[in-house]
Amino acid sequence: MTGEKNQWSRRRFLKATGTAGLGALMAPVNRLATAAETPTRVPTRPFGKTGVDVPILSLGGMFNIASNQLMMRQAMRWGVTYWDTADCYQRGSEKGIGKFFDKYPQDRQKVFLVSKSDARDPDGMIKLLNRSLKRMNTNYIDLYFLHSVKRIGELDDEIKSWADKQKAAGKIRFFGFSTHRNMEECLLAGAKLDWIDGIMMTYNYRLMHTKGMKRAVDACVKAGIGLTAMKTQGGGSVRTDTDTEIEMAGRFLEKGFTDAQAKLRAVWQNPNIASICSQMPNMSILMSNIAAAVDKTELSVRDTQLLKRYAQETQSDYCTGCTNICQSAIKENIPIGDVMRYLMYCRSYGDRHYAMSEFNKIPEKIRIRLAKTDYSNAEQRCPQKMAIGRLMKEAIQELS
Ligand code: SF4
């Protein structure tokens, strides 16, 4: 992939798509024909020391890709050529990508393809890697992640040898990990491993300004590790019922952004983030995100301050994944961070189906203990002041 120069401003993009404003991004799909003819391309950034330039917007593949082939085609045209999936993503994510490459084999080389392994042992990992390759109709994956790493000890010498072997065999080009838990620690320690090429981590306007996260990102950049941000919406849309939210909404509207677009722009303002991985299960979200990606309007200091203030005012609504704090404060082995994430999928992303399927993978005996455990110590230590006990009970009601 080359760093094709962005030729179109966001406003021209909107004009080209026949839309007059953000509301019109909900336009019927047939109106996209005009956009398909435009030279609009998402800008690119270097991905660490890999030598690859990736689009700053990547397509999170946790949706029914098989039924959205036209949208994938359009994503290609707009330069969204970094696709992220995982062996465990449901709704035929990998198979949908395979269907696409079956029909458009010439596009395979244009895509920076990422998949992930839930297994932690070499035998399990090779089985999953081979299955992913078969499902996706390809003989290599550009970047292969160990999925959802919670502590750096998971990346041991055995995993390193495995990654080296698969690189030598040409099955993967680069290796790294994704992390939703204890991100700062995982990034800092990952930066010390010279065999890690890329990391995808939860990163958004709530987390990006902390000293710990800044230090962790700097360490990875210094080590030449490519960074992809995920969960950039920081827990869903603003509710627009406090002074901060109303002021923020007004300012963003003046700039022509929705709050979702402003949150993307906040992350892109850090040039060290190579790409944002965003779930874009339909054309409206894809277009809205592309519109934000091609815009050159910077958020002002005041905009950033407002986002920070909003993050502070709503901190008890957002779990930052620092599970080493809360889970070590209770006697029971309860995956608090995982349950918080499933609640977020359900409440903020509206993906109840996925949230329920993941929640119900928690062994039954642990789910039973969820409601009975005393979380008072954990609540006292939680930096976000989350009502952990209440949320665990609500998770049982909503997701069982
Ligand atoms: S519940 Fe609190 S302490 Fe636990 S992971 Fe979330 S933010 Fe961190």
Side-chain angles (χ1 to χ4, degrees):
M1 253 174 300
T2 56
E4 193 160 324
K5 211 172 172 199
N6 176 38
Q7 302 172 53
W8 278 50
S9 73
R10 174 173 163 279
R11 281 173 188 81
R12 289 183 70 198
F13 175 90
L14 292 173
K15 205 175 161 197
T17 54
T19 59
L22 294 164
L25 286 170
M26 306 302 286
V29 171
N30 61 12
R31 291 178 65 186
L32 298 173
T34 317
E37 304 309 319
T38 72
T40 302
R41 299 279 295 182
V42 168
T44 61
R45 286 182 184 173
F47 192 75
K49 62 182 178 213
T50 60
V52 179
D53 286 344
V54 295
I56 62 169
L57 178 65
S58 52
L59 187 115
M62 209 159 55
F63 66 97
N64 189 340
I65 292 179
S67 303
N68 284 282
Q69 300 279 292
L70 279 179
M71 192 189 81
M72 301 298 277
R73 190 86 181 126
Q74 195 55 53
M76 287 292 299
R77 289 189 180 125
W78 282 327
V80 182
T81 51
Y82 171 167
W83 294 358
D84 176 275
T85 183
D87 65 69
C88 60
Y89 287 176
Q90 298 178 351
R91 305 180 187 120
S93 175
E94 286 190 331
K95 281 188 182 166
I97 291 173
K99 185 176 168 185
F100 186 90
F101 289 144
D102 189 37
K103 189 157 185 201
Y104 306 106
Q106 71 281 7
D107 282 348
R108 171 62 193 95
Q109 281 193 336
K110 297 176 195 161
V111 172
F112 187 74
L113 186 61
V114 177
S115 193
K116 317 183 190 79
S117 167
D118 271 334
R120 293 294 190 265
D121 63 294
D123 286 349
M125 286 176 74
I126 192 65
K127 271 187 204 146
L128 290 179
L129 173 59
N130 286 337
R131 190 177 70 173
S132 293
L133 292 170
K134 197 170 167 203
R135 278 174 169 177
M136 294 194 284
N137 258 320
T138 182
N139 53 11
Y140 71 98
I141 287 171
D142 293 275
L143 175 59
Y144 199 62
F145 281 146
L146 204 63
H147 193 189
S148 199
V149 165
K150 297 181 175 86
R151 48 181 189 83
I152 207 68
E154 292 171 50
L155 291 142
D156 56 20
D157 289 346
E158 219 176 31
I159 303 285
K160 178 186 183 312
S161 307
W162 184 91
D164 289 345
K165 201 170 151 191
Q166 304 319 318
K167 280 183 186 178
K171 289 189 174 183
I172 64 173
R173 292 174 67 200
F174 307 109
F175 186 81
F177 63 91
S178 66
T179 175
H180 319 80
R181 303 274 163 271
N182 309 318
M183 283 85 67
E184 294 167 8
E185 292 85 344
C186 288
L187 261 67
L188 272 177
K192 292 182 185 148
L193 304 177
D194 63 3
W195 49 284
I196 296 298
D197 304 300
I199 300 175
M200 178 160 82
M201 75 287 184
T202 303
Y203 185 87
N204 53 51
Y205 68 97
R206 294 178 185 274
L207 303 167
M208 61 190 285
H209 303 294
T210 66
K211 268 188 200 158
M213 185 54 93
K214 282 183 179 167
R215 199 156 61 96
V217 166
D218 285 351
C220 288
V221 170
K222 219 167 157 189
I225 294 174
L227 294 176
T228 301
M230 65 172 158
K231 311 281 183 281
T232 49
Q233 292 302 303
S237 20
V238 295
R239 294 180 307 255
T240 320
D241 60 4
T242 69
D243 290 347
T244 308
E245 289 171 49
I246 289 166
E247 188 183 345
M248 213 164 65
R251 288 183 69 90
F252 293 155
L253 204 65
E254 249 172 50
K255 287 197 152 105
F257 289 136
T258 62
D259 68 273
Q261 291 175 316
K263 288 171 182 175
L264 294 176
R265 292 246 40 109
V267 170
W268 280 319
Q269 275 186 208
N270 180 351
N272 292 323
I273 301 300
S275 190
I276 287 177
C277 178
S278 173
Q279 294 301 325
M280 296 185 278
N282 57 56
M283 196 65 96
S284 301
I285 297 176
L286 176 68
M287 286 179 65
S288 175
N289 286 0
I290 288 176
V294 299
D295 200 313
K296 290 193 170 62
T297 310
E298 297 282 325
L299 295 187
S300 66
V301 173
R302 179 68 188 145
D303 296 332
T304 308
Q305 278 171 349
L306 277 169
L307 271 171
K308 278 188 193 172
R309 200 167 85 195
Y310 173 72
Q312 224 165 23
E313 288 172 4
T314 56
Q315 66 166 1
S316 63
D317 292 341
Y318 184 75
C319 172
T320 51
C322 42
T323 52
N324 53 4
I325 297 178
C326 58
Q327 290 180 194
S328 62
I330 52 173
K331 286 189 193 125
E332 307 277 352
N333 181 21
I334 304 284
I336 296 173
D338 288 339
V339 177
M340 293 292 190
R341 187 153 60 96
Y342 306 148
L343 269 179
M344 181 188 71
Y345 284 132
C346 182
R347 293 177 173 181
S348 304
Y349 297 176
D351 199 343
R352 188 183 195 82
H353 174 83
Y354 180 73
M356 286 180 79
S357 84
E358 290 301 300
F359 179 79
N360 289 298
K361 282 182 194 163
I362 298 173
E364 195 182 357
K365 59 181 184 189
I366 296 180
R367 272 184 278 139
I368 290 168
R369 289 209 301 270
L370 269 186
K372 295 178 180 163
T373 299
D374 175 8
Y375 296 97
S376 43
N377 271 344
E379 285 178 354
Q380 271 170 25
R381 290 192 205 172
C382 173
Q384 297 294 99
K385 309 282 174 238
M386 298 197 78
I388 301 173
R390 173 173 61 76
L391 288 163
M392 293 298 115
K393 285 191 183 115
E394 288 174 4
I396 297 165
Q397 282 166 6
E398 287 174 39
L399 305 177
S400 282

